[in-house]
Amino acid sequence: MHAALVTMATSTTDTQKDQFVEWLARIAASRDRAAFAQLFDHFAPRLKSFLIRKGSTAEQAEDLVQETMIAVWSKAALFASGKGSVSTWIFTIARNLRIDRLRRERSQLYTDLEDFDAPDETAGAEETLGRSQEDNHVSQALAQIPAEQRELLILSFVEDVPQSEIATRLGLPLGTVKSRMRLGYQRLRKLLEQMN
Amino acid sequence: MKISHHLDDATILAFAAGTVGEAHGVLAAAHISLCPLCRSRVKSAEQIAGAILADESEASVSDQCRAATLASLDAILQAKPAQPKPKSDLPLALSRILGDVSLRDIKWKTKAPGVAVFDVPLSKGTSTKLKMLRLGHGRTMPEHGHGGDEITLILKGSYHDRFGRFAPGDVADLDHEIEHQPIVDSDEDCICVVAFETKAKYKTLLAKLAQPFVGI
Ligand SMILES: [Zn+2]
């Protein structure tokens, strides 16, 4: 009972996650607008908040939310549920669109890499943050690593600045910032291995 | 291609977050396109972002944004096709910038006997640089310290230093305070690409290498 409550409170539930995958499948299969509207209503407000934390104005954030969700609509068939969560996939779409805007013509860096994925890729077996790793496992693991490491990891995804800038802001040497990130990331992977 | 030297965890995280500098991003993408291990490491790191997004609080989205998004769906049939890939023997991240150019066609500028460089153009306003270097056999790079983040990707030939031998596909992604002294050990020229920060306080590999001859 308690465990279930904790999971509910900390993160997206498994049922919700299956729901996201199903909505995407319906969009892919039959251009299902109702499924899209539900996906929009769940993710758009979170994405907007995330982008504002990254330094966008409300207006810029909504523009990018719109662009991202339209890409979700057009790319729904490309989502492979075995490879990660829907929220991770939506994050990568938003990230790529954002970088495209910043760097204009040259930036297909991330989208180009999608083509390199062999369907049966196994080379990364030792990297068990894992293919179908659940968001709530990652959240739980994040909560278990030392605060200074967790904060740096989260900061590196939320703040849109290079690590050297994070170091300057925190008044820490770059080497310290990097080694805390590495340690945090290594612990996170260990914890996730244990959960699997 | 057997790759033995990979990107640092900190670089993988920055690449996944999308906060890596432009030059470092191009270089990391070039390595990642050659390296299934680092590709999978990036995927893992992206899941941290997925978890953060899943747990994110909600900012209310205007009716206008919602309506405009839903209204534009009919016009969108499918994803835009990707641009055709340039014909090139360079990693895709580089040939996207340089176009249909092969390693042989690079317009090198000779800086000293056995040292030639080529600047890879980046966006205006970036505080990073991407340089290709062509170094002759036996070329000894002077002992140097790094300033800021510096990543080197080997495209052809090889060099060695106290971290081992660096051959095509390998990256040297070193902490900025680490000292090392690479020596080109291939008979053919060693061609590598170096991403570094222009605001670096200390001498970069490249600067120190070429400074005795020419400021670059
Ligand atoms: Zn690698």
Side-chain angles (χ1 to χ4, degrees):
Chain A
M1 182 70 184
H2 278 296
L5 281 175
V6 168
T7 308
M8 292 274 290
T10 53
S11 184
T12 316
T13 63
D14 289 344
T15 330
Q16 255 184 316
K17 227 172 300 285
D18 293 342
Q19 182 72 78
F20 303 152
V21 173
E22 194 202 314
W23 285 334
L24 270 182
R26 274 160 50 194
I27 295 166
S30 58
R31 313 271 88 192
D32 187 327
R33 299 176 68 100
F36 178 81
Q38 283 174 298
L39 204 61
F40 183 95
D41 291 340
H42 182 84
F43 280 104
R46 288 172 170 80
L47 204 48
K48 183 177 172 184
S49 167
F50 186 74
L51 292 167
I52 288 173
R53 283 214 282 164
K54 276 177 112 46
S56 298
T57 63
E59 199 183 339
Q60 288 168 337
E62 287 206 346
D63 279 356
L64 203 53
V65 164
Q66 183 175 347
E67 227 182 305
T68 302
M69 293 310 295
I70 289 172
V72 166
W73 170 262
S74 62
K75 293 178 171 195
L78 301 177
F79 174 76
S81 62
K83 282 193 168 180
S85 70
V86 173
S87 67
T88 298
W89 186 64
I90 292 178
F91 160 80
T92 62
I93 291 174
R95 175 198 62 196
N96 300 355
L97 286 169
R98 203 159 175 280
I99 290 175
D100 277 350
R101 288 189 167 190
L102 296 173
R103 302 216 181 122
R104 299 283 158 201
E105 75 261 68
R106 311 198 193 287
S107 178
Q108 295 189 44
L109 278 192
Y110 292 89
T111 36
D112 273 343
L113 289 173
E114 289 164 11
D115 295 346
F116 285 92
D117 292 328
D120 62 339
E121 203 165 271
T122 51
E126 71 183 69
E127 297 285 328
T128 49
L129 218 56
R131 311 254 152 233
S132 57
Q133 194 55 252
E134 305 293 348
D135 294 329
N136 47 359
H137 284 185
V138 181
S139 301
Q140 282 165 15
L142 268 174
Q144 287 175 43
I145 65 177
E148 59 172 28
Q149 295 168 11
R150 174 176 58 250
E151 276 154 24
L152 269 180
L153 275 182
I154 292 178
L155 210 55
S156 73
F157 280 94
V158 169
E159 294 279 325
D160 200 38
V161 293
Q163 288 161 355
S164 53
E165 174 74 25
I166 292 178
T168 309
R169 277 200 212 168
L170 298 178
L172 293 168
L174 179 58
T176 308
V177 166
K178 284 190 176 192
S179 63
R180 278 187 199 169
M181 276 182 192
R182 276 183 212 121
L183 278 174
Y185 187 40
Q186 282 158 19
R187 284 205 192 195
L188 192 71
R189 289 200 302 250
K190 283 241 167 65
L191 285 166
L192 287 163
E193 274 168 38
Q194 287 160 14
M195 287 181 193
N196 286 343
Chain B
M1 187 176 295
K2 192 191 168 297
I3 295 176
S4 6
H5 300 276
H6 298 276
L7 293 167
D8 188 280
D9 270 347
T11 306
I12 293 284
L13 288 166
F15 187 83
T19 60
V20 69
E22 183 169 354
H24 303 70
V26 171
L27 204 140
H31 173 79
I32 290 163
S33 69
L34 302 168
C35 178
L37 174 66
C38 286
R39 209 140 64 224
S40 131
R41 293 169 69 207
V42 169
K43 291 234 167 70
S44 288
E46 284 168 347
Q47 290 177 342
I48 299 173
I52 293 171
L53 181 60
D55 289 346
E56 186 65 49
S57 57
E58 300 178 51
S60 85
V61 171
S62 68
D63 292 344
Q64 197 189 349
C65 172
R66 189 179 191 273
T69 307
L70 292 173
S72 54
L73 298 182
D74 286 334
I76 292 146
L77 296 173
Q78 52 189 335
K80 274 182 279 175
Q83 284 180 32
K85 289 174 187 167
K87 292 188 189 75
S88 172
D89 54 355
L90 291 165
L92 186 54
L94 282 168
S95 62
R96 279 285 184 222
I97 300 173
L98 299 175
D100 296 325
V101 160
S102 95
L103 257 188
R104 212 179 311 139
D105 310 323
I106 298 290
K107 304 227 175 344
W108 296 103
K109 283 185 197 142
T110 304
K111 291 289 179 180
V115 183
V117 302
F118 173 77
D119 285 328
V120 179
L122 299 175
S123 301
K124 283 185 187 123
T126 175
S127 60
T128 61
K129 279 210 163 197
L130 194 58
K131 273 182 192 281
M132 295 180 69
L133 264 175
R134 193 186 65 195
L135 302 166
H137 172 80
R139 182 81 207 175
T140 305
M141 302 189 196
E143 189 74 23
H144 65 280
H146 295 258
D149 288 328
E150 181 176 298
I151 314 177
T152 305
L153 168 70
I154 314 299
L155 296 177
K156 200 166 182 285
S158 61
Y159 72 63
H160 68 263
D161 63 15
R162 66 191 176 91
F163 298 103
R165 189 154 187 272
F166 290 76
D170 285 333
V171 278
D173 185 1
L174 301 174
D175 256 353
H176 57 297
E177 65 271 14
I178 283 173
E179 298 278 329
H180 67 139
Q181 188 168 29
I183 298 166
V184 174
D185 62 3
S186 53
D187 290 335
E188 60 176 349
D189 287 347
C190 176
I191 298 178
C192 54
V193 201
V194 190
F196 57 98
E197 293 174 278
T198 49
K199 287 180 191 154
K201 289 179 194 121
Y202 307 100
K203 288 177 176 169
T204 63
L205 177 153
L206 197 59
K208 193 113 184 200
L209 165 74
Q211 248 170 14
F213 310 102
V214 205
I216 50 173

